PDB file of all heavy atoms in Angstrom:
ATOM      1  N   PHE A 453       5.880 -14.512   7.307  1.00  0.00           N
ATOM      2  CA  PHE A 453       7.021 -14.879   8.163  1.00  0.00           C
ATOM      3  C   PHE A 453       7.004 -14.004   9.407  1.00  0.00           C
ATOM      4  O   PHE A 453       6.538 -12.861   9.371  1.00  0.00           O
ATOM      5  CB  PHE A 453       8.360 -14.730   7.419  1.00  0.00           C
ATOM      6  CG  PHE A 453       8.701 -13.302   7.070  1.00  0.00           C
ATOM      7  CD1 PHE A 453       9.510 -12.543   7.915  1.00  0.00           C
ATOM      8  CD2 PHE A 453       8.223 -12.717   5.920  1.00  0.00           C
ATOM      9  CE1 PHE A 453       9.831 -11.230   7.605  1.00  0.00           C
ATOM     10  CE2 PHE A 453       8.526 -11.395   5.598  1.00  0.00           C
ATOM     11  CZ  PHE A 453       9.336 -10.658   6.438  1.00  0.00           C
ATOM     12  N   GLY A 454       7.479 -14.572  10.505  1.00  0.00           N
ATOM     13  CA  GLY A 454       7.589 -13.809  11.753  1.00  0.00           C
ATOM     14  C   GLY A 454       8.895 -13.038  11.697  1.00  0.00           C
ATOM     15  O   GLY A 454       9.956 -13.634  11.500  1.00  0.00           O
ATOM     16  N   THR A 455       8.823 -11.737  11.855  1.00  0.00           N
ATOM     17  CA  THR A 455      10.038 -10.934  11.726  1.00  0.00           C
ATOM     18  C   THR A 455      11.011 -11.267  12.869  1.00  0.00           C
ATOM     19  O   THR A 455      10.602 -11.348  14.031  1.00  0.00           O
ATOM     20  CB  THR A 455       9.684  -9.429  11.656  1.00  0.00           C
ATOM     21  OG1 THR A 455      10.798  -8.724  11.143  1.00  0.00           O
ATOM     22  CG2 THR A 455       9.319  -8.846  12.998  1.00  0.00           C
ATOM     23  N   GLY A 456      12.274 -11.503  12.516  1.00  0.00           N
ATOM     24  CA  GLY A 456      13.257 -11.936  13.510  1.00  0.00           C
ATOM     25  C   GLY A 456      13.451 -10.923  14.619  1.00  0.00           C
ATOM     26  O   GLY A 456      13.723 -11.290  15.764  1.00  0.00           O
ATOM     27  N   GLY A 457      13.285  -9.656  14.310  1.00  0.00           N
ATOM     28  CA  GLY A 457      13.503  -8.587  15.275  1.00  0.00           C
ATOM     29  C   GLY A 457      12.428  -8.486  16.341  1.00  0.00           C
ATOM     30  O   GLY A 457      12.563  -7.690  17.286  1.00  0.00           O
ATOM     31  N   ALA A 458      11.358  -9.295  16.209  1.00  0.00           N
ATOM     32  CA  ALA A 458      10.332  -9.315  17.248  1.00  0.00           C
ATOM     33  C   ALA A 458      10.463 -10.592  18.076  1.00  0.00           C
ATOM     34  O   ALA A 458       9.859 -10.717  19.130  1.00  0.00           O
ATOM     35  CB  ALA A 458       8.943  -9.254  16.635  1.00  0.00           C
ATOM     36  N   GLY A 459      11.256 -11.528  17.564  1.00  0.00           N
ATOM     37  CA  GLY A 459      11.381 -12.843  18.187  1.00  0.00           C
ATOM     38  C   GLY A 459      10.292 -13.768  17.670  1.00  0.00           C
ATOM     39  O   GLY A 459       9.230 -13.312  17.250  1.00  0.00           O
ATOM     40  N   PHE A 460      10.594 -15.055  17.656  1.00  0.00           N
ATOM     41  CA  PHE A 460       9.564 -16.041  17.290  1.00  0.00           C
ATOM     42  C   PHE A 460       9.870 -17.345  17.999  1.00  0.00           C
ATOM     43  O   PHE A 460      11.009 -17.562  18.451  1.00  0.00           O
ATOM     44  CB  PHE A 460       9.492 -16.253  15.764  1.00  0.00           C
ATOM     45  CG  PHE A 460      10.792 -16.645  15.126  1.00  0.00           C
ATOM     46  CD1 PHE A 460      11.260 -17.951  15.217  1.00  0.00           C
ATOM     47  CD2 PHE A 460      11.557 -15.705  14.446  1.00  0.00           C
ATOM     48  CE1 PHE A 460      12.473 -18.311  14.629  1.00  0.00           C
ATOM     49  CE2 PHE A 460      12.774 -16.050  13.862  1.00  0.00           C
ATOM     50  CZ  PHE A 460      13.228 -17.364  13.957  1.00  0.00           C
ATOM     51  N   CYS A 461       8.853 -18.199  18.139  1.00  0.00           N
ATOM     52  CA  CYS A 461       9.039 -19.494  18.800  1.00  0.00           C
ATOM     53  C   CYS A 461       8.512 -20.607  17.912  1.00  0.00           C
ATOM     54  O   CYS A 461       7.488 -20.445  17.228  1.00  0.00           O
ATOM     55  CB  CYS A 461       8.310 -19.533  20.143  1.00  0.00           C
ATOM     56  SG  CYS A 461       8.967 -18.348  21.341  1.00  0.00           S
ATOM     57  N   ILE A 462       9.199 -21.720  17.946  1.00  0.00           N
ATOM     58  CA  ILE A 462       8.843 -22.887  17.132  1.00  0.00           C
ATOM     59  C   ILE A 462       8.780 -24.106  18.054  1.00  0.00           C
ATOM     60  O   ILE A 462       9.694 -24.321  18.870  1.00  0.00           O
ATOM     61  CB  ILE A 462       9.907 -23.093  16.029  1.00  0.00           C
ATOM     62  CG1 ILE A 462       9.850 -21.925  15.035  1.00  0.00           C
ATOM     63  CG2 ILE A 462       9.728 -24.421  15.312  1.00  0.00           C
ATOM     64  CD1 ILE A 462      11.022 -21.865  14.093  1.00  0.00           C
ATOM     65  N   SER A 463       7.701 -24.897  17.926  1.00  0.00           N
ATOM     66  CA  SER A 463       7.581 -26.088  18.782  1.00  0.00           C
ATOM     67  C   SER A 463       8.538 -27.173  18.293  1.00  0.00           C
ATOM     68  O   SER A 463       8.919 -27.191  17.120  1.00  0.00           O
ATOM     69  CB  SER A 463       6.147 -26.608  18.744  1.00  0.00           C
ATOM     70  OG  SER A 463       5.816 -26.986  17.412  1.00  0.00           O
ATOM     71  N   ARG A 464       8.878 -28.080  19.192  1.00  0.00           N
ATOM     72  CA  ARG A 464       9.818 -29.148  18.794  1.00  0.00           C
ATOM     73  C   ARG A 464       9.232 -29.994  17.660  1.00  0.00           C
ATOM     74  O   ARG A 464       9.953 -30.390  16.742  1.00  0.00           O
ATOM     75  CB  ARG A 464      10.178 -30.030  19.991  1.00  0.00           C
ATOM     76  CG  ARG A 464      11.015 -31.251  19.619  1.00  0.00           C
ATOM     77  CD  ARG A 464      11.870 -31.759  20.745  1.00  0.00           C
ATOM     78  NE  ARG A 464      13.011 -30.886  20.974  1.00  0.00           N
ATOM     79  CZ  ARG A 464      14.209 -31.029  20.386  1.00  0.00           C
ATOM     80  NH1 ARG A 464      14.418 -31.993  19.522  1.00  0.00           N
ATOM     81  NH2 ARG A 464      15.196 -30.206  20.656  1.00  0.00           N
ATOM     82  N   ALA A 465       7.927 -30.258  17.727  1.00  0.00           N
ATOM     83  CA  ALA A 465       7.315 -31.083  16.682  1.00  0.00           C
ATOM     84  C   ALA A 465       7.540 -30.450  15.311  1.00  0.00           C
ATOM     85  O   ALA A 465       7.917 -31.135  14.347  1.00  0.00           O
ATOM     86  CB  ALA A 465       5.817 -31.228  16.954  1.00  0.00           C
ATOM     87  N   LEU A 466       7.340 -29.156  15.225  1.00  0.00           N
ATOM     88  CA  LEU A 466       7.533 -28.465  13.949  1.00  0.00           C
ATOM     89  C   LEU A 466       9.012 -28.435  13.568  1.00  0.00           C
ATOM     90  O   LEU A 466       9.376 -28.662  12.408  1.00  0.00           O
ATOM     91  CB  LEU A 466       6.967 -27.037  14.035  1.00  0.00           C
ATOM     92  CG  LEU A 466       7.123 -26.177  12.787  1.00  0.00           C
ATOM     93  CD1 LEU A 466       6.476 -26.826  11.567  1.00  0.00           C
ATOM     94  CD2 LEU A 466       6.527 -24.784  13.004  1.00  0.00           C
ATOM     95  N   ALA A 467       9.861 -28.170  14.562  1.00  0.00           N
ATOM     96  CA  ALA A 467      11.304 -28.116  14.284  1.00  0.00           C
ATOM     97  C   ALA A 467      11.789 -29.448  13.713  1.00  0.00           C
ATOM     98  O   ALA A 467      12.636 -29.472  12.821  1.00  0.00           O
ATOM     99  CB  ALA A 467      12.059 -27.755  15.554  1.00  0.00           C
ATOM    100  N   LEU A 468      11.216 -30.554  14.223  1.00  0.00           N
ATOM    101  CA  LEU A 468      11.602 -31.871  13.709  1.00  0.00           C
ATOM    102  C   LEU A 468      11.226 -32.008  12.236  1.00  0.00           C
ATOM    103  O   LEU A 468      11.992 -32.525  11.425  1.00  0.00           O
ATOM    104  CB  LEU A 468      10.915 -32.977  14.528  1.00  0.00           C
ATOM    105  CG  LEU A 468      11.632 -33.356  15.821  1.00  0.00           C
ATOM    106  CD1 LEU A 468      10.715 -34.176  16.727  1.00  0.00           C
ATOM    107  CD2 LEU A 468      12.918 -34.135  15.510  1.00  0.00           C
ATOM    108  N   LYS A 469      10.036 -31.500  11.893  1.00  0.00           N
ATOM    109  CA  LYS A 469       9.602 -31.580  10.491  1.00  0.00           C
ATOM    110  C   LYS A 469      10.465 -30.699   9.593  1.00  0.00           C
ATOM    111  O   LYS A 469      10.561 -30.920   8.391  1.00  0.00           O
ATOM    112  CB  LYS A 469       8.138 -31.147  10.374  1.00  0.00           C
ATOM    113  CG  LYS A 469       7.210 -32.180  10.954  1.00  0.00           C
ATOM    114  CD  LYS A 469       5.773 -31.893  10.598  1.00  0.00           C
ATOM    115  CE  LYS A 469       4.888 -32.931  11.269  1.00  0.00           C
ATOM    116  NZ  LYS A 469       3.567 -32.423  11.590  1.00  0.00           N
ATOM    117  N   MET A 470      11.051 -29.665  10.189  1.00  0.00           N
ATOM    118  CA  MET A 470      11.896 -28.761   9.399  1.00  0.00           C
ATOM    119  C   MET A 470      13.231 -29.397   9.049  1.00  0.00           C
ATOM    120  O   MET A 470      13.934 -28.916   8.155  1.00  0.00           O
ATOM    121  CB  MET A 470      12.192 -27.476  10.199  1.00  0.00           C
ATOM    122  CG  MET A 470      11.026 -26.564  10.373  1.00  0.00           C
ATOM    123  SD  MET A 470      11.484 -25.200  11.473  1.00  0.00           S
ATOM    124  CE  MET A 470      12.829 -24.448  10.571  1.00  0.00           C
ATOM    125  N   SER A 471      13.576 -30.454   9.757  1.00  0.00           N
ATOM    126  CA  SER A 471      14.921 -31.012   9.659  1.00  0.00           C
ATOM    127  C   SER A 471      15.412 -31.255   8.220  1.00  0.00           C
ATOM    128  O   SER A 471      16.537 -30.886   7.887  1.00  0.00           O
ATOM    129  CB  SER A 471      14.978 -32.290  10.498  1.00  0.00           C
ATOM    130  OG  SER A 471      16.214 -32.876  10.369  1.00  0.00           O
ATOM    131  N   PRO A 472      14.587 -31.848   7.327  1.00  0.00           N
ATOM    132  CA  PRO A 472      15.099 -32.077   5.959  1.00  0.00           C
ATOM    133  C   PRO A 472      15.489 -30.792   5.231  1.00  0.00           C
ATOM    134  O   PRO A 472      16.246 -30.826   4.276  1.00  0.00           O
ATOM    135  CB  PRO A 472      13.916 -32.741   5.240  1.00  0.00           C
ATOM    136  CG  PRO A 472      12.979 -33.195   6.303  1.00  0.00           C
ATOM    137  CD  PRO A 472      13.226 -32.355   7.509  1.00  0.00           C
ATOM    138  N   PHE A 473      14.944 -29.657   5.681  1.00  0.00           N
ATOM    139  CA  PHE A 473      15.238 -28.384   5.011  1.00  0.00           C
ATOM    140  C   PHE A 473      16.196 -27.507   5.819  1.00  0.00           C
ATOM    141  O   PHE A 473      16.666 -26.495   5.315  1.00  0.00           O
ATOM    142  CB  PHE A 473      13.943 -27.584   4.796  1.00  0.00           C
ATOM    143  CG  PHE A 473      12.862 -28.367   4.128  1.00  0.00           C
ATOM    144  CD1 PHE A 473      11.754 -28.801   4.843  1.00  0.00           C
ATOM    145  CD2 PHE A 473      12.955 -28.691   2.786  1.00  0.00           C
ATOM    146  CE1 PHE A 473      10.759 -29.537   4.243  1.00  0.00           C
ATOM    147  CE2 PHE A 473      11.961 -29.429   2.163  1.00  0.00           C
ATOM    148  CZ  PHE A 473      10.856 -29.860   2.896  1.00  0.00           C
TER     149      PHE A 473
END
Side-chain angles (χ1 to χ4, degrees):
F453 66 94
T455 197
F460 55 78
C461 296
I462 293 168
S463 62
R464 173 154 286 269
L466 179 58
L468 276 165
K469 288 191 183 150
M470 289 174 60
S471 177
F473 308 107

